[in-house]
Amino acid sequence: MKTIKILGSGCAKCKTLYQNTLEAVKQTGIEAEVIKIEDFQEMMKYNVLTTPVLMIDDKAVIKGRVADIAEIKTLLTH
Amino acid sequence: MKTFIFPFSALAVWILIYFNLQVSADFLVLSVLNLEPGTHLTESLRFFVFEVPKVLMLLVLIIFGVGIIRSYFSAEKTRKALEGKSTFAGNIMASLLGIVTPFCSCSAIPLFIGFIEAGVPLGVTFSFLIAAPMINEVAVILLFGLFGWKIALIYVSTGLFIAILAGWIIGKLRLEHFVADWVYKIKSEGSEEPEEQLSFDQRVRVGLDSVKEIVGKVWIYIVIGVGVGAAVHGFVPEKMMADLMGQNAWYSVPLSVLIGVPLYSNAAGIIPIVSVLIEKGVPMGTALAFMMSVIALSLPEMIILKKVLKLPLIFIFAGIVATGIMIVGFLFNWIM
């Protein structure tokens, strides 16, 4: 069971990354919990400077950009 | 090795096409469509057929170049460079880094908090946050393409001037107590991760990706902007507009800033409007002041900033930047 966190304040890029992540999880069939973090105070605990951020098991793997479904799938399966 | 060859051969093709654009445009309009030179329709069409590909090609080239340059910078590196920097030198550095550091307005808050937390002085942080959105490559290329390199250069240098000065003043005023209290209490747990090292191939990819993303988003504004410009090309300026925002009316600059502040648009979206204003006889300084105030200050941004700044600091920030923009507008109208 993986824990995936999307950090972003609700801008267009953050929403796209969230949607792509949900789709990637569905396609790979991995068991994962996807959490969206929109609160700045909460977000800053993870030492981010640019949003959106994709974290898999508390490790930031994508910073400040949108990743497409294929890229997230590779990140999930490796 | 292949990717080394690709950018250079693409550049050769680019140059070949770019320097034959006028000839091709004339050929298309005059020979293929067989229109008579000198009429309003012909001249408008010539302008449109030449300007649209010209600006788009400039956009592709510069965004690709900027994309590659930006791949060497990151918000993390910029923060490290600015940590504990003194005022003025720090303000200058922050403004310059604001141009080259990848930045998206939705990251403004995390960046602000992250900078403050790392010990970057408040004024220096503001210099960065003013320069980053205002001086962006799309605005500069469009100004260059439509109004020439002098206007583009003046836009960049006055934008830098505003960012440096406004940040420096905010630093001098010692406004730290107007930052929301929780910002100073935050302690990040996340560890500093080593930067990933990109190969040249990957940087070329980054450049191409940013071309795809940005040009895909702004091409329509350029077609509209040039289209409207072409439609009014050569028409005598309308008197009403020129009177309202005209050179002689002293209030034209503050008025255009006042209209511009609550509006929000990205640099590309505002260009069509600016090109119409200028075609209609609005002086350059007034039009630039309008453009700067739309890009640099906006109501939605203020509302987001409210989460980390107390109201007085937001007003001071908006007031200083607006004043700087007005000075630029007046100065420009006076010189031209």
Side-chain angles (χ1 to χ4, degrees), chain B residues 62-322:
Chain B
I62 310 273
I63 288 176
F64 179 69
V66 170
I68 297 218
I69 294 170
R70 285 215 171 128
S71 72
Y72 289 93
F73 291 85
S74 70
E76 283 81 6
K77 278 186 208 163
T78 294
R79 176 169 69 173
K80 196 153 271 166
L82 293 175
E83 269 172 33
K85 272 277 170 309
S86 63
T87 49
F88 215 68
N91 293 112
I92 294 173
M93 216 169 130
S95 306
L96 290 170
L97 284 169
I99 304 178
V100 289
T101 310
F103 177 80
C104 148
S105 59
C106 51
S107 296
I109 298 288
L111 256 169
F112 178 85
I113 302 169
F115 274 35
I116 295 291
E117 191 208 6
V120 178
L122 186 64
V124 175
T125 305
F126 265 107
S127 280
F128 180 87
L129 283 178
I130 295 167
M134 187 151 70
I135 311 172
N136 82 31
E137 68 276 21
V138 177
V140 175
I141 301 157
L142 291 176
L143 287 174
F144 171 74
L146 295 171
F147 310 117
W149 65 269
K150 276 188 202 155
I151 303 290
L153 193 69
I154 288 171
Y155 181 82
V156 172
S157 44
T158 52
L160 269 176
F161 169 78
I162 292 172
I164 293 167
L165 200 72
W168 182 72
I169 294 173
I170 289 173
K172 279 282 159 213
L173 290 175
R174 310 212 157 276
L175 301 166
E176 281 74 6
H177 56 286
F178 286 132
V179 174
D181 303 315
W182 63 268
V183 171
Y184 287 107
K185 291 188 188 120
I186 280 194
K187 275 276 155 276
S188 297
E189 292 155 9
S191 56
E192 202 80 13
E193 281 152 54
E195 290 276 326
E196 46 179 342
Q197 272 300 320
L198 296 177
S199 65
F200 186 76
D201 287 16
Q202 283 170 310
R203 293 187 198 279
V204 169
R205 270 229 69 87
V206 171
L208 289 176
D209 281 348
S210 58
V211 167
K212 221 164 59 186
E213 189 193 331
I214 299 176
V215 176
K217 223 167 11 189
V218 307
W219 70 270
I220 184 74
Y221 296 109
I222 289 160
V223 174
I224 294 171
V226 176
V228 175
V232 295
H233 191 62
F235 271 127
V236 187
E238 258 166 34
K239 203 150 175 334
M240 187 194 74
M241 198 65 152
D243 279 349
L244 184 67
M245 284 181 153
Q247 196 138 25
N248 296 325
W250 65 269
Y251 54 81
S252 70
V253 173
L255 183 72
S256 62
V257 172
L258 215 62
I259 299 171
V261 170
L263 296 179
Y264 174 71
S265 163
N266 56 15
I270 192 66
I271 292 280
I273 300 167
V274 172
S275 87
V276 175
L277 288 179
I278 287 173
E279 283 281 347
K280 289 292 176 195
V282 171
M284 202 70 199
T286 310
L288 275 189
F290 177 69
M291 176 175 164
M292 281 180 167
S293 61
V294 172
I295 300 176
L297 294 169
S298 72
L299 211 54
E301 189 200 1
M302 311 276 164
I303 293 168
I304 297 177
L305 280 176
K306 182 74 190 57
K307 290 187 178 154
V308 283
L309 303 179
K310 291 174 191 162
L311 221 44
L313 183 49
I314 296 184
F315 282 122
I316 293 168
F317 159 68
I320 292 173
V321 175

Side-chain angles (χ1 to χ4, degrees), chain A residues 34-45:
Chain A
V34 183
I35 307 166
K36 210 170 164 189
I37 297 175
E38 293 190 335
D39 180 58
F40 288 117
Q41 301 205 29
E42 184 70 22
M43 214 184 289
M44 292 317 292
K45 286 186 188 157

Side-chain angles (χ1 to χ4, degrees), chain B residues 9-26:
Chain B
S9 48
L11 184 65
V13 175
W14 187 97
I15 291 171
L16 198 69
I17 298 173
Y18 186 80
F19 286 101
N20 283 301
L21 272 180
Q22 184 73 70
V23 180
S24 317
D26 286 350

